[in-house]
């Protein structure tokens, strides 16, 4: 506010004392950050349809945000045991290669260079993604992994309104949002003793200070910790037997009104 008259004075549009020099702005009130406990997370995934459950599982075990998940193209998911070459890049085994995002119904670049990363996929997620590949439509390499009825990426707001918010209300966590799932990843990673450096790489942050904000390369240790975290969720949610082991490739999804339904 004070800078506007200063600019006016610099440009010769205003002279005299700054009328805003005594204005004091109130401190900005930030929303309280929330993170789900393992028990809350287990209740949530049990209450969700299959494909939305997978997206939530990925959010809390890989730290991908919803724009990145919706922006994943089929060609950028490596569900094999060997690295693959795509667009002159080598992608490691069992990774989601985050290179773009789907935001406000548009494809776009990531908000920061550090967000470009190869995300390790837990075994349970690999198996679920293989099953998802069995769908009959939108199976080209450029098609989104989580495709809606029109072939465009699923609508994040529709998923929130139709699935996450109703489930959150029943579980006593009405504040639930995609962003809180990202906070959940950071908190659970802290509990599992993942180092700041490893979390920095996984979360796509440019510095450790930002990673610490979310908490209140790839190494074997990181892989082991992610599998341990994944197994806690699977056991707590009673998902054992539902693709905990990696099966043969395969992928199916039913969609209604642009969002996955089963």
């Amino acid at each position: 506010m004070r800078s506007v008259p200063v600019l006016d004075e610099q440009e010769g549009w205003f002279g005299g004392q700054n009328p805003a020099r005594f204005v004091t702005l109130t401190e900005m009130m930030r929303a309280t950050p929330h993170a789900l406990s393992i028990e809350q997370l287990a209740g949530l995934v049990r209450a969700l349809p299959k494909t939305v459950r997978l997206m939530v599982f990925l959010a809390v075990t890989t730290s991908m945000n919803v724009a990145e998940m919706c922006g994943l193209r089929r060609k950028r998911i490596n569900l094999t045991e060997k690295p693959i070459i795509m667009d002159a890049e080598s992608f490691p085994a069992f990774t989601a290669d985050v290179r773009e995002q789907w935001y406000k119904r548009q494809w776009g670049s990531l908000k920061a260079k550090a967000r470009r990363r190869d995300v390790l996929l837990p075994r349970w997620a690999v198996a679920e993604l293989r099953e998802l590949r069995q769908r009959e439509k939108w199976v080209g390499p450029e098609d989104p992994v989580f495709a809606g009825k029109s072939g465009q990426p699923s609508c994040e707001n529709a998923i929130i309104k139709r699935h996450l918010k109703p489930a959150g209300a029943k579980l006593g966590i009405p504040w639930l949002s995609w962003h809180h799932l990202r906070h959940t990843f950071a908190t659970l990673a802290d509990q599992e003793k993942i180092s700041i450096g490893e979390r920095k790489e996984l979360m796509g942050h440019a510095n450790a200070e930002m990673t610490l904000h979310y908490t209140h390369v790839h190494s074997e240790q990181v892989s082991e910790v992610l599998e341990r975290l994944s197994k806690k969720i699977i056991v707590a949610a009673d998902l054992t037997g539902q693709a905990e082991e990696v099966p043969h490739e395969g992928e199916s999804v039913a969609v209604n009104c642009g969002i996955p339904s089963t």
Side-chain angles (χ1 to χ4, degrees):
M1 184 180 292
R2 296 188 184 95
S3 64
V4 175
V6 171
L7 177 62
D8 290 345
E9 187 175 359
Q10 290 175 343
E11 297 295 331
W13 300 333
F14 171 79
Q17 292 186 328
N18 187 339
R21 66 188 185 281
F22 296 123
V23 173
T24 302
L25 298 178
T26 58
E27 183 178 353
M28 182 169 56
M29 299 297 292
R30 297 184 180 274
T32 302
H34 293 283
L36 281 69
S37 66
I38 286 289
E39 293 73 20
Q40 290 172 325
L41 185 55
L44 176 63
V45 297
R46 282 196 299 264
L48 297 174
K50 191 175 179 65
T51 306
V52 180
R53 174 192 304 163
L54 174 57
M55 295 180 75
V56 168
F57 187 88
L58 287 172
V60 298
T61 58
T62 70
S63 185
M64 282 189 286
N65 63 41
V66 66
E68 292 169 346
M69 284 189 289
C70 290
L72 279 177
R73 298 184 192 267
R74 286 168 57 92
K75 69 178 183 180
R76 297 198 183 281
I77 295 284
N78 184 3
L79 304 180
T80 72
E81 297 179 355
K82 298 180 179 180
I84 62 173
I85 302 296
M86 179 61 63
D87 296 337
E89 291 187 80
S90 177
F91 297 147
F94 301 127
T95 56
D97 308 306
V98 181
R99 297 296 184 270
E100 56 189 329
Q101 64 180 2
W102 175 262
Y103 182 64
K104 293 185 177 179
R105 299 177 181 268
Q106 290 185 336
W107 293 99
S109 58
L110 301 170
K111 67 179 183 179
K113 183 179 179 179
R115 302 294 304 167
R116 286 176 56 91
R117 66 207 190 280
D118 302 327
V119 175
L120 283 173
L121 296 171
R123 288 167 58 84
W124 187 88
V126 170
E128 290 289 307
L129 286 165
R130 284 180 173 177
E131 183 181 342
L132 190 60
R133 284 199 176 189
Q134 291 178 354
R135 71 184 179 215
E136 296 180 356
K137 290 185 176 181
W138 322 122
V139 295
E142 299 293 338
D143 288 324
V145 173
F146 298 105
K149 186 176 180 179
S150 66
Q152 290 188 328
S154 299
C155 175
E156 60 184 82
N157 292 328
I159 296 174
I160 278 282
K161 292 178 181 179
R162 297 189 182 188
H163 298 292
L164 295 192
K165 284 298 184 183
K170 291 180 180 179
L171 294 168
I173 48 175
W175 38 261
L176 180 64
S177 72
W178 288 112
H179 192 66
H180 293 129
L181 297 175
R182 188 163 163 79
H183 272 283
T184 298
F185 169 86
T187 301
L188 296 179
D190 186 52
Q191 294 172 358
E192 292 299 318
K193 310 301 181 184
I194 299 180
S195 71
I196 290 295
E198 290 163 338
R199 272 179 279 166
K200 170 178 173 286
E201 179 183 356
L202 289 170
M203 297 183 75
H205 288 155
N207 56 62
E209 181 180 355
M210 179 59 75
T211 302
L212 285 171
H213 168 72
Y214 276 84
T215 304
H216 340 306
V217 227
H218 292 153
S219 68
E220 184 176 344
Q221 178 185 355
V222 171
S223 180
E224 291 174 354
V225 170
L226 288 181
E227 287 303 327
R228 189 165 69 245
L229 173 59
S230 172
K231 191 165 186 177
K232 281 187 176 181
I233 299 170
I234 291 168
V235 172
D238 195 23
L239 300 178
T240 52
Q242 297 188 39
E244 187 175 4
E245 297 299 324
V246 177
H248 296 291
E249 287 198 27
E251 203 172 302
S252 109
V253 58
V255 286
N256 287 308
C257 301
I259 63 173
S261 62
T262 60

